[in-house]
Amino acid sequence: MISFSTVRERWLAFLGSFVAVALGVAVVTMSALMLLSGGTGVPERLAGAPVLVRAPTGEQVGGQFAEPPPWAPERATELGRKLARLKGVRAAVADRSFYAQLPGTEQDKGERQGHGWSSAALASYGLHNGRAPARPDHIALDRSYGRKPGDRVTVLTADGPHRFTVSGTLDGPGYYVTDARAAALAGGVRVIGLTLEPGTSAADVVDAAERAVAGTAGGGEVLAGKDRDALAPQQDEMTRWIGAQVLTAMAALSAFVTVFIVSSTFAFSVAQRRREFGLLRIIGATPKQVRRTVCAEAITVGVLGAAVGAVMGSAVAPSVAGVLVDAGLQPEGFAVLSRWWVPCAALVLGSVVALVGAWSAARRAARVAPMEAMREAAVDERPMTRRRWAAGLVVTVLGAACAVGTAFAGSDTMVLLGLGTAAGLAAGLALLIPVLVRPVVGALTRPLAGRPGATSLLVRENMRAAVRRTSATVAPVLATVTFAVLITSTVQTTETADTDRQAATVRARTALAPAGTPGLSDAATATAGVTRNAMLSTTVYGGRGQVALTATGVGGGFAKLYGHHAPPMDSVVVTESVAAAHGWRQGRSAMLTFEDGRKERLRVAEVLGDGEVPYQLVLPRAVVRAHDPSALADVAYRTGEDTLPQLGGALGAREVSVQRYASSTEAEEDRLVWIFTLMLVAMTAGYTAIAVASTLLTATADRALDLRILRLSGATSGQALRAVAGETVCAVALGAVLGMVVVIPALLGMVHGLRESLGVAVEAVVAWPWVAGSAGGCLALGLVASVVPAYSLLRGPVGRPGARMG
């Protein structure tokens, strides 16, 4: 009851903790609901088949989403015949897919939207108008394109644009041609769909299909019901994976920052209430009872805040999911599923987080001596304890060690060490701020001491005397500037360095890049006369576990572009990391599975260093084209003096600078990274804004007596407000300066590491707009949180100084 009454009477002091817990639980609830929601479901074009058989998946590497290796042609034929003979099965349809696109439409890289007409039997939709394709130049397509039977259309394929006559329109996506035409354009078979006789149960067929698959060399996986969701497009799976990383990071950051804010808020509250705890000790309260009182206050705030947060998180999850879909962090069709136990678990988590955050402050309150009730001075005589000294020095040293390690780390650990540098130095300086306040504030405000008038001197001495109050204001500003500036500067520096590296690895004048298409067709590169310099992209499977590997087919221009000879027809060039992972050595052979399901044993002609080429394998162009009829070139380079001809929009290609192409290769990934970055920065800034506002609101409300004494001493309301505003400006400036002190070594260490790992000149890019924005935002918020309540306190009549103590 005492704790509840205290929270109710001193609600302003606990407002920051309440808001932090509510927001933290809302983010955790929202993130958990989205993470536990399913995918987008089975694709429409396969949803009409109750049972689907998928080729066995190869080994999946974290963060990599590739289709499973296809069956060998003879295995697919044998399995299809076995499945077609099963009782209750009407037909076993082998799904063949190839690249097809109408000019002017959007399509992601790697999408294959063309299919043989027999695959239409597997779809959940059918013909809307017209009839099935009967000739090689017939095509059926989605009616949303606005075409009708009899129209002539141009469709882009891997070997170039082709003219088709629309034989029919469909109620769903895709381009359907005759099976013979699809077999010539497509690679291997990965999915066989089973259509069933009327009255046949899918469950009855599944067992028989599994036995048929088990008895066929190569195997496979039988899917029915919700298990068919595993066939969702790999692009959707990758998007969901990226979204999961964002949501996990948001939830983890929310939990961590909530603990930080609750901890700092309760620590400041305990420091402000030392006389109150001293009085409790005088009237007989034991240290254990004082500790339980503070913990009960934390649980009260935690339960109330968590309840609000759980409701808020459940309510906003669908809307936030829509925003993530629009931003490309969740696939189209993603929907949030409601689970009652998630907000309940978040409610418990919020209460625990609040208790954990307040535990240190509760122990400190228990150590308050009864004589503190007689303490009148506002000067903080011993703001640092031995434990805080030790913790601050150790964490600072660890942060400095991370900065040194960043300068010599590889690209996979560089970002983590950079964040470790920021976290270590920021936490260390935050712990050591009470030591730094008096000398640093004294040095920075020395010019104020010589200025006429008492306001400047009052600002300077107040900050040096109230070390805890100043430290509590500086710490969140330090954290805001550090993480906002470091995260944005790191992203900009890394993006610039990666673009420079890619542009430096290839010796070319310009690049022929795709324009509105996922890649370049053979017709585009041939028309431009750069086929020998084209990078024909495909995926092959090899090594232990049939891992998906990115590969390119190159022609005679490869030696001039990259300084290495193109491999002979029976050979392959591999990168160093791939060779080490799979035990491949120069002169030895490697068994590879291609897009048509066929296997070849190729000799390893050369092992290149990682980063020398933007692929894991380099193959002869003829080998790639023979095994992957649907392969497209990522880019083709111009090395001579002649300019490329104007290709027009029909071929989907344009000439750009090598630098521009390098920057555009990962434009979508960079966009998602920036969205992720902005979300983290906004979340960090939002939480630290809560801490700044809460600290200043509490501190200003607690200074009513100081402000009255100022008025009685002859100060005007304007002078008192200028003193409060001056302290806020100085605290924010100190936090911003310390934040940049943390950012600089972390950023310089990362720049040195990038130079060593990439082998190109890398310059640090400091996001100065974020420096100004983060510091300016903290200043504006701090002035509102301090000046407004001070103005409210100064509006009333000036009473006697002891009135507050009565």
Side-chain angles (χ1 to χ4, degrees):
M1 290 301 297
I2 293 176
S3 300
F4 182 80
S5 300
T6 302
V7 172
R8 185 180 59 188
E9 294 298 325
R10 301 177 63 96
W11 65 269
L12 193 61
F14 298 103
L15 181 61
S17 296
F18 171 82
V19 174
V21 172
L23 288 180
V25 170
V27 172
V28 171
T29 303
M30 174 191 68
S31 301
L33 286 173
M34 285 192 276
L35 286 172
L36 293 171
S37 297
T40 54
V42 61
E44 287 183 84
R45 69 177 194 86
L46 298 175
V51 180
L52 296 166
V53 182
R54 178 176 65 173
T57 57
E59 182 178 329
Q60 294 292 321
V61 179
Q64 183 187 67
F65 296 90
E67 294 179 302
W71 285 295
E74 59 276 9
R75 303 300 183 199
T77 303
E78 178 189 356
L79 181 58
R81 289 172 180 169
K82 276 189 172 184
L83 294 171
R85 291 196 296 264
L86 296 179
K87 183 179 179 181
V89 174
R90 174 185 293 174
V93 181
D95 178 61
R96 287 183 170 86
S97 302
F98 58 92
Y99 163 66
Q101 178 183 5
L102 280 180
T105 60
E106 294 294 328
Q107 194 161 311
D108 291 331
K109 182 178 180 180
E111 277 193 355
R112 294 182 171 92
Q113 294 197 350
H115 317 282
W117 177 249
S118 61
S119 296
L122 308 179
S124 60
Y125 50 85
L127 274 173
H128 173 76
N129 195 10
R131 55 190 174 84
R135 298 188 341 206
D137 64 340
H138 281 182
I139 191 169
L141 44 72
D142 191 344
R143 67 188 178 103
S144 65
Y145 292 132
R147 305 301 199 275
K148 60 182 182 297
D151 287 352
R152 295 284 287 172
V153 296
T154 297
V155 178
L156 301 177
T157 64
D159 61 351
H162 290 276
R163 294 286 290 174
F164 288 90
T165 299
V166 178
S167 65
T169 57
L170 303 163
D171 291 320
Y175 306 85
Y176 289 85
V177 297
T178 61
D179 289 344
R181 189 70 185 269
L185 294 171
V189 175
R190 291 182 170 86
V191 175
I192 297 175
L194 305 184
T195 59
L196 308 183
E197 298 287 354
T200 302
S201 170
D204 296 335
V205 174
V206 167
D207 293 337
E210 288 178 342
R211 288 193 296 270
V213 168
T216 304
E221 183 180 2
V222 180
L223 305 172
K226 284 191 170 295
D227 292 341
R228 297 178 302 164
D229 293 355
L231 292 172
Q234 298 303 312
Q235 181 66 33
D236 287 359
E237 292 301 309
M238 184 174 67
T239 302
R240 289 194 66 228
W241 181 81
I242 295 174
Q245 308 307 304
V246 174
L247 294 171
T248 302
M250 288 173 57
L253 181 62
S254 295
F256 172 77
V257 178
T258 299
V259 172
F260 173 78
I261 292 178
V262 172
S263 177
S264 61
T265 302
F266 270 84
F268 184 66
S269 175
V270 167
Q272 295 290 95
R273 296 163 60 192
R274 293 183 70 85
R275 291 190 71 249
E276 179 181 321
F277 292 129
L279 288 171
L280 288 176
R281 294 296 310 282
I282 284 178
I283 62 176
T286 64
K288 187 175 181 180
Q289 289 175 315
V290 173
R291 183 170 60 250
R292 283 206 304 262
T293 299
V294 177
C295 289
E297 293 171 0
I299 292 176
T300 301
V301 173
V303 170
L304 294 175
V308 173
V311 173
M312 185 167 56
S314 300
V316 303
S319 300
V320 175
V323 173
L324 293 181
V325 170
D326 293 338
L329 295 173
Q330 289 292 350
E332 292 289 341
F334 175 77
V336 178
L337 300 180
S338 178
R339 287 177 169 81
W340 64 268
W341 59 267
V342 171
C344 295
L347 176 64
V348 176
L349 177 64
S351 305
V352 172
V353 164
L355 181 60
V356 170
W359 180 253
S360 178
R363 295 186 59 187
R364 191 177 303 114
R367 293 196 296 267
V368 174
M371 291 302 294
E372 289 289 337
M374 307 303 293
R375 188 169 177 262
E376 292 283 355
V379 178
D380 296 317
E381 296 179 354
R382 191 170 178 265
M384 291 288 290
T385 63
R386 291 181 180 179
R387 290 183 180 179
R388 185 161 182 164
W389 263 108
L393 292 175
V394 169
V395 174
T396 303
V397 170
L398 290 176
C402 287
V404 175
T406 304
F408 303 98
S411 57
D412 53 341
T413 57
M414 193 178 301
V415 174
L416 292 177
L417 286 174
L419 293 176
T421 301
L425 293 179
L429 287 180
L431 290 170
L432 297 175
I433 281 176
V435 181
L436 302 174
V437 165
R438 286 175 181 167
V440 174
V441 170
L444 293 178
T445 60
R446 189 173 299 280
L448 298 178
R451 296 191 62 180
T455 304
S456 301
L457 181 61
L458 184 63
V459 169
R460 181 172 187 261
E461 298 305 324
N462 266 345
M463 291 188 67
R464 298 180 66 191
V467 174
R468 285 193 177 91
R469 185 176 69 225
T470 303
S471 301
T473 306
V474 170
V477 178
L478 163 64
T480 301
V481 173
T482 295
F483 285 100
V485 177
L486 180 66
I487 292 174
T488 53
S489 298
T490 297
V491 171
Q492 290 184 7
T493 301
T494 305
E495 287 181 356
T496 303
D498 190 55
T499 298
D500 293 342
R501 178 192 63 80
Q502 290 188 49
T505 56
V506 61
R507 305 181 186 97
R509 294 184 179 274
T510 59
L512 184 68
T517 60
L520 301 173
S521 66
D522 290 350
T525 58
T527 303
V530 290
T531 299
R532 67 194 311 270
N533 295 333
M535 313 299 289
L536 194 61
S537 177
T538 188
T539 302
V540 299
Y541 306 84
R544 306 181 183 97
Q546 290 289 284
V547 177
L549 303 169
T550 60
T552 183
V554 299
F558 181 72
K560 190 172 183 179
L561 290 171
Y562 289 97
H564 297 277
H565 293 294
M569 284 298 295
D570 62 344
S571 302
V572 61
V573 173
V574 303
T575 56
E576 189 175 9
S577 60
V578 171
H582 303 294
W584 294 339
R585 298 179 184 177
Q586 187 171 347
R588 302 275 183 94
S589 63
M591 180 65 74
L592 302 176
T593 302
F594 290 88
E595 275 294 315
D596 59 356
R598 292 185 171 88
K599 295 184 178 182
E600 281 197 29
R601 187 176 294 278
L602 301 179
R603 184 179 62 87
V604 178
E606 188 178 0
V607 177
L608 302 181
D610 294 335
E612 290 191 58
V613 291
Y615 301 90
Q616 295 173 301
L617 304 180
V618 179
L619 296 159
R621 176 185 175 84
V623 171
V624 171
R625 178 54 75 205
H627 289 288
D628 189 358
S630 196
L632 297 170
D634 289 332
V635 64
Y637 294 103
R638 179 179 70 87
T639 56
E641 296 293 339
D642 297 337
T643 58
L644 298 180
Q646 295 294 325
L647 300 179
L651 293 176
R654 60 176 177 172
E655 187 177 10
V656 298
S657 67
V658 176
Q659 186 81 12
R660 184 174 178 182
Y661 170 74
S663 64
S664 67
T665 53
E666 298 181 355
E668 178 62 17
E669 182 179 342
D670 292 342
R671 184 185 71 85
L672 296 179
V673 168
W674 264 111
I675 292 174
F676 185 22
T677 300
L678 294 178
M679 292 175 68
L680 291 183
V681 169
M683 182 174 294
T684 304
Y687 273 112
T688 50
I690 295 171
V692 171
S694 174
T695 300
L696 289 174
L697 278 171
T698 304
T700 305
D702 201 61
R703 295 178 66 185
L705 178 60
D706 298 343
L707 295 175
R708 290 195 182 100
I709 292 177
L710 276 178
R711 292 292 309 280
L712 289 171
S713 301
T716 65
S717 297
Q719 288 174 319
L721 289 176
R722 284 196 294 273
V724 173
E727 292 178 32
T728 302
V729 171
C730 290
V732 171
L734 178 56
V737 169
L738 292 178
M740 292 305 297
V741 168
V742 172
V743 167
I744 295 302
L747 196 57
L748 290 179
M750 186 168 295
V751 166
H752 185 278
L754 287 172
R755 286 175 183 169
E756 293 296 320
S757 62
L758 300 180
V760 296
V762 179
E763 299 296 332
V765 180
V766 179
W768 291 111
W770 286 93
V771 177
S774 55
C778 289
L779 178 59
L781 185 65
L783 288 174
V784 171
S786 59
V787 174
V788 172
Y791 175 75
S792 178
L793 291 172
L794 289 169
R795 281 194 308 171
V798 180
R800 52 193 182 85
R804 180 172 172 269
M805 300 173 57

